Amino acid sequence: MTIGKVITSFGRSFIVDVNSTTYEAVTKGKKNDFVVGDIVEVHIINNEQAQILKLLERNNLVFRSNQHRMKIIASNITQLLIVIAVKPNFNINFLNRCLVFAHSQNITPVIVINKNDLQESSEFISSIQKLYQDKLHYRVLSISTLNHDITKLTPLLDNNQSLLIGQSGVGKSSITNYIIPNANTLTNTITKSETSGKHTTTHASLYNINHNSVLIDCPGLHEFGLSHILVPDIINYFPELNGLQNTCKFRDCKHNQEPGCTILKALQENMIDKERFKFLQQITLECNQKGKHLY
Ligand SMILES: Nc1nc2c(ncn2[C@@H]2O[C@H](COP(=O)(O)OP(=O)(O)O)[C@@H](O)[C@H]2O)c(=O)[nH]1
Ligand SMILES: [Mg+2]
Ligand SMILES: [Zn+2]
């Protein structure tokens, strides 16, 4: 039995790595929802081509979902590196969504603030640290690929399969290229053979840092739908509300103005930040709307 790992995908075809040799692979039959990070059983056809026969069980799956569909991003992730930056357009909602997602899939999140070389970064970094590090106890790092100030990040990559996630323009690919200096070339070589000269991939790409450490770069996401989450579980994904699971009087409480709402009480007592509370209400509504989850 030959085992490989999916390292990137293009439409219906995939690049799989089998013992450090890459093959362009198509799938057997109709199933083609494989994703970067998947461990698969393959049949090698020749020096360049292989066929994916079977998916080995995933430890987890990173995806986003809305009411209508889900889009898979990567699998078997041990660490979610949520990259943010003061520029071009920081969106706190996006950060909160990534954190909730990480909790929902049991993946350790790390908040990586890039571009600490920019003047306007210092105030931004303090505000993120104050809430997310000091109050919520997430790991928060500040780095700059421009200034080669990335030493806080590198040790965290050891023995992990890390996924870089974040809005477009925050510096995910710059981080990747810093850690894996030939990442760009690798992607281009692979992509060229597949799409006749079109160099950019819209899918995630996986790179081996060393034998035990893997980094996955993912194109910028504009939205991060969480429709798959079940309403009663939401409170579990807010560390500041730990202990308040199922304490509201009504099971389907929207934490709006219901009597006996313990979350509103937590807000009054400043246990939860106002913006985080608004976000909680918003995803409660969003996850309520779809009725049942997607998979
Ligand atoms: N000032 C500054 N700019 C950076 C830094 N890292 C990346 N950039 C710039 O941010 C832009 C987006 O970077 P890119 O890596 O393509 O972001 P991605 O869309 O998240 O992959 C590029 O113009 C980079 O040169 C940094 O540490 N400081
Ligand atoms: Mg990029
Ligand atoms: Zn409530």
Side-chain angles (χ1 to χ4, degrees):
M1 192 162 79
T2 311
I3 298 295
K5 191 185 223 180
V6 176
I7 62 168
T8 192
S9 65
F10 307 95
R12 283 160 196 280
S13 79
F14 301 86
I15 306 292
V16 290
D17 178 319
V18 181
N19 298 323
S20 303
T21 305
T22 52
Y23 299 86
E24 197 182 312
V26 288
T27 64
K28 193 181 166 196
K30 281 206 179 118
K31 182 171 166 59
N32 62 12
D33 50 352
F34 299 99
V35 74
V36 171
D38 277 347
I39 305 293
V40 289
E41 198 183 315
V42 296
H43 164 66
I44 295 181
I45 300 167
N46 57 38
N47 284 341
E48 278 151 21
Q49 293 171 296
Q51 187 182 37
I52 299 179
L53 302 176
K54 194 179 149 199
L55 173 70
L56 273 59
E57 199 183 337
R58 292 168 175 150
N59 293 329
N60 55 39
L61 183 63
V62 175
F63 60 94
R64 59 198 169 94
S65 59
N66 59 26
Q67 273 102 305
H68 312 292
R69 61 193 205 106
M70 69 185 257
K71 190 168 176 350
I72 53 179
I73 297 167
S75 73
N76 300 320
I77 302 304
T78 62
Q79 175 169 260
L80 195 64
L81 302 176
I82 307 166
V83 186
I84 62 173
V86 65
K87 272 187 175 172
N89 55 341
F90 175 66
N91 180 340
I92 197 157
N93 221 338
F94 189 93
L95 169 60
N96 284 325
R97 278 170 185 272
C98 291
L99 290 168
V100 163
F101 183 84
H103 285 286
S104 78
Q105 293 291 297
N106 250 321
I107 306 172
T108 309
V110 177
I111 300 172
V112 181
I113 312 174
N114 188 31
K115 311 197 185 185
N116 73 12
D117 55 280
L118 294 176
Q119 220 194 339
E120 50 278 50
S121 279
S122 57
E123 200 182 319
F124 175 70
I125 294 168
S126 315
S127 72
I128 296 291
Q129 281 172 336
K130 203 170 145 203
L131 176 58
Y132 291 92
Q133 177 183 282
D134 303 345
K135 275 189 126 173
L136 302 178
H137 306 294
Y138 289 111
R139 197 191 276 255
V140 177
L141 318 172
S142 118
I143 65 162
S144 164
T145 62
L146 192 80
N147 283 353
H148 309 288
D149 173 14
I150 199 166
T151 46
K152 288 186 223 88
L153 176 64
T154 39
L156 294 187
L157 303 176
D158 281 346
N159 301 315
N160 270 311
Q161 178 144 305
S162 307
L163 174 66
L164 291 162
I165 202 161
Q167 295 171 265
S168 203
V170 292
K172 298 179 296 298
S173 298
S174 306
I175 295 170
T176 306
N177 283 310
Y178 191 90
I179 308 279
I180 297 118
N182 59 346
N184 248 339
T185 340
L186 285 175
T187 321
N188 284 350
T189 324
I190 293 168
T191 326
K192 225 181 210 162
S193 68
E194 179 59 25
T195 55
S196 52
K198 207 169 173 243
H199 286 197
T200 46
T201 163
T202 54
H203 297 270
S205 305
L206 180 150
Y207 305 96
N208 293 308
I209 303 169
N210 57 43
H211 192 64
N212 304 314
S213 315
V214 168
L215 186 64
I216 302 176
D217 183 19
C218 166
L221 299 175
H222 300 292
E223 32 152 3
F224 200 145
L226 296 169
S227 294
H228 60 283
I229 287 175
L230 301 175
V231 176
D233 291 338
I234 293 173
I235 303 295
N236 295 327
Y237 309 145
F238 283 74
E240 64 271 59
L241 300 177
N242 196 2
L244 295 182
Q245 292 88 344
N246 305 315
T247 52
C248 290
K249 184 169 173 193
F250 301 109
R251 195 182 137 77
D252 63 346
C253 188
K254 308 214 174 34
H255 323 303
N256 224 335
Q257 47 192 359
E258 292 88 342
C261 173
T262 55
I263 306 302
L264 286 170
K265 192 161 163 272
L267 177 69
Q268 278 158 13
E269 291 166 1
N270 289 322
M271 276 170 63
I272 181 168
D273 165 84
K274 269 208 187 82
E275 290 295 317
R276 295 264 302 166
F277 173 75
K278 269 194 220 151
F279 166 69
L280 168 71
Q281 283 188 317
Q282 187 192 329
I283 64 161
T284 306
L285 261 185
E286 189 178 313
C287 297
N288 238 317
Q289 270 160 10
K290 88 293 173 174
K292 55 178 183 279
H293 67 322
L294 284 163
Y295 69 117

